[in-house]
Structures are given as structure tokens and as C-alpha cells.
Amino acid sequence: MKMSRTWGLADVREHNTEDSCWMVLHGKVYDITSFLPKHPGGRSILLKNSGQDATAAFDSVHPVEILEEYLTPDQIIGKIEPGEPIQDVKTQKSDSSPQGTLTSALPPLASMLSVVEIESYALQRLSPKAISYYVSATDDEITKVANGQIYRSILLRPRVFVDCTECSLKTAILGNNVGLPIYVSPAAMARLAHPVGEAGIASACSKFNALQIISKNASMSPAAIVSAGTEAVFAWQLYVLKDLAATERTLAQIRKIPQIKFIVLTLDAPFPGKREADERFKMAEVAGGAPPQAWGTESALTWRKTLDWLCRHTSLPIVLKGVQTHEDAYAATLFPAVKGIILSNHGGRALDTAPTPIQVLLEIRKFCPQVVNTIDVLVDGGIKRGTDVVKALALGAKGVGIGRAALYGLSVGGQEGVERVLRILADETMTAMRLLGVKNISELSMRHINTSALTSALFNGPSGLEEIEAEFRSKL
């Protein structure tokens, strides 16, 4: 079979099984039979759309560029015949369509006063698939809940007789000037929330000169996303795939986008957590007896091997996402290519009962406080109030990330909904700073918070730093 061959949809329909699986995407006919067991989202969704034109369904969650990353040229077996009527699988009623459960008109965005309120409206509008994916967390969701609750145990210490007429949220993250210490974390498949997708998030960030970390699993291409946010700052999330050549092809594409200022290597999900709500939805989609999905992320990453490899494929600063102990935070400072870390437990979606980012930050303060002065430390998870932002910054974080909150804002109002989320958090953060007697981010410090209620929740074993020194110093 040659690429020049043309096929009719009737030909394609005959290939809709695991033994022979074809699909039409953007006018080209693909034989994806060998890709079925490798698809990160599992084979069932591919089989559901096999033997037909799946372009619209594909575009709703993927950028077209991803085809070059995951599929090889020999899997393109021809083109669809001109004039063939397109059987668009997306025209069928789908549980994955954005705003699939819309029940009533929403109040004006300006009347929504908190992130929690926006979340409540979003859950009325999101499709069952989006809810199962965005909201789910691992096992009993203890870590997901704790990510936010821990902030309640930190008290603020306001000072008086301080002129706080002027107040600024401007700061720098990895040397990039930003208008907010709040950034949008990498969150996959934003088009499940709203058709504007990640471009809407980028446009919202642009209004605040804020940072957006683009998800490796975004539903739009990085180039399309950065073009929508001319005044935003961008980084790109990297998952290292088992197919290392595919990862290297993607890194080559990222090198062509100058707006991307650093690479965020995600480390907190080498294997999928047991997210029961997500699994339950997938079980409902899968025909009886279908095999479980494959996990496409490489699980054999190690400090030296992986960082040496990555440095050969990018000259950008590297940030490690998913640091969950003070030992790993300290180890990160021993590698010159690493310019920052993100304290994160994957939003409670990986290992349940893992520590919250704030606990890890407190343990860094306890065992190796020099870390916050050596590399940029970011916190990701549980932020719902401006007071949460201030507490993290006072502990030494350079910035805080929001993931689900941005997606919820996108769901209720597209770009304007994300702007509303950022505006709420910015206003609350500035109010908290003024009431503390602080004019700018750099003035926040440990003297503005009381964390004594959390002392018993911190790791109380040996620091382990000598072992890390012995392991890495002599080999660097």
C-alpha cells in the first residue's frame, strides 16, 4: 500500500477491530493497528472511533502535531477519496462534549466572588468525562483534600502602622518578569472544558503578564497556545515517554518556539494512580473484556542519566516538577542545569497520603533552608484563596500554581472565566498583603506567618543530606 492510494469510507469501515484498525484524520487514512497497545489513553477510545472519520473527535482533545510525534510515516496508507461524505463521529451526542451537563444559565462572571463558587458552577456545566478526569484523585483522595486544608493551619501575623497604600504583585520566576506570583499549572485536555481550550488560558494569562506552563497533553499545539498570549510567559511540561525518539521529536519542535522559557520535567507520576472516578467512567466506555490502558510514561528515569540526556536536547533551564521530600529538593540543587523545582503531588492524583507541598516546603525550611536561595521553589496544589498564596510566598515559594481552578474558570466563561479566577486570586492576595503591612512580594517572610500548629506533622527523622552529598557530589 502506498501513500498515494485513495480509499473510500466504505473501505475504511471494514477495518474496525484490534486485528485491523484504520482511522481517517484530516483527510488521511491511518493504519493504527500497531499503535493500539501504545496509546497513552488506552485502546478502547481508538476502537470506538475506528473505521470512520474521527477528525473532529481527535481535534477536541489533541493538536494535529501530535500525529507526527506518535505515528510513523508508514502508518499513513493513503488519502480519503475526494467528495466522500464525512461521517463525523463528534456529531453524535457525546459525554465528552464541553458543557455536556449544562442545566441552567449562569449568573454574570462579575458576581462570582470566589474560586470555590466558580468551581461549583463549573461542575454543573462540565461533561461527565471532563468531571471524571479533572476532579478525580487517587484512592481516598486524602492528599487532594489535604493540599488545601493545610493552609488553614497556618496563621497570619499582620503588622500595623505600615503604609500599604501602594502594593505590587510583580515578581520574577526563573528570571522572567511576571505580573503575578500565581501561574497556571500544566493541565491536560482543556478543550474538555471549553472549545477555546488552552488558547483561552493563554489569552487570560496575557492580561496579567502571568506564567502558563503548557501541558504535554494539551489539546492544542504549543505554537497555537503561545500565539494566543502575546504578553504571557510560557514554559512547557515534559513527560518522558517510553518511546524516547518520540520525546526527542517533540523537544525538537519546542526548540523552535522562542516564547517557551523553560522546561518542566514531570516526575511525580511514573505510574498512574488509582483514580476511581476516572476509572469508573472509562469502564463504562469500554466494551466488556477490553484490556486496560497502557501507561506511556517512562518509569526508569534517574537523576544523572535523565538530566544528562535532557541537556543534550535542550539549552533551556530545567525545572523538576513533583518534588515531595526535602532530600530530593536538596539533590536538585546539586545539578547545575536544574534552576527550579515544583513541590507537587500531582494534585493528589498519584500517591495518596503523600505530603502536601506546604509540608515539603516546611521540611525544606527545617533541614535545608539554603534550597530556597539556590533555586526557585514553586508550589502547586490546593490554592483557593489569596491568603493561601501569601502563606506559600512567606514560606519562600517564588510562585504558586493553579490547575483545576483555571479549568473551572474556562468552563464557566472561556477566556473571561480564567481571567475572573486570576482576578479573584490577585485581588485577594493584594488585600492580604496590605492587611499584613506588606508592599511587595519580596517583603513577605517567615515573620508574617505562624506555622507552629504543623510542627508535629513534619518529618522528624535524620536529614539524610550527608548520604545525598556522598551519592552525587563525587560523581558530578
Side-chain angles (χ1 to χ4, degrees), residues 156 159 162 164 166-170 181 386-387 389-390 393 426-444 448:
L156 293 170
R159 303 297 299 271
V162 178
C164 54
E166 300 297 325
C167 187
S168 172
L169 296 181
K170 292 181 179 179
T387 49
V389 176
V390 165
L393 297 176
D427 288 348
E428 289 181 352
T429 301
M430 192 171 290
T431 296
M433 288 172 60
R434 281 190 162 113
L435 292 174
L436 280 173
V438 172
K439 296 180 181 180
N440 53 63
I441 300 298
S442 62
E443 292 181 4
L444 285 167
H448 292 108

Side-chain angles (χ1 to χ4, degrees), residues 190-191 194-202 219-220 410:
R191 278 182 171 169
H194 193 281
V196 75
E198 290 83 2
I201 296 175
S219 53
M220 304 177 68
L410 194 67

Side-chain angles (χ1 to χ4, degrees), residues 150-188:
I150 193 168
Y151 287 98
R152 301 179 184 180
S153 298
I154 300 175
L155 301 179
L156 293 170
R157 304 184 66 246
R159 303 297 299 271
V160 298
F161 274 139
V162 178
D163 181 357
C164 54
T165 307
E166 300 297 325
C167 187
S168 172
L169 296 181
K170 292 181 179 179
T171 187
I173 298 177
L174 266 74
N176 299 285
N177 293 326
V178 290
L180 293 178
I182 304 157
Y183 67 90
V184 176
S185 306

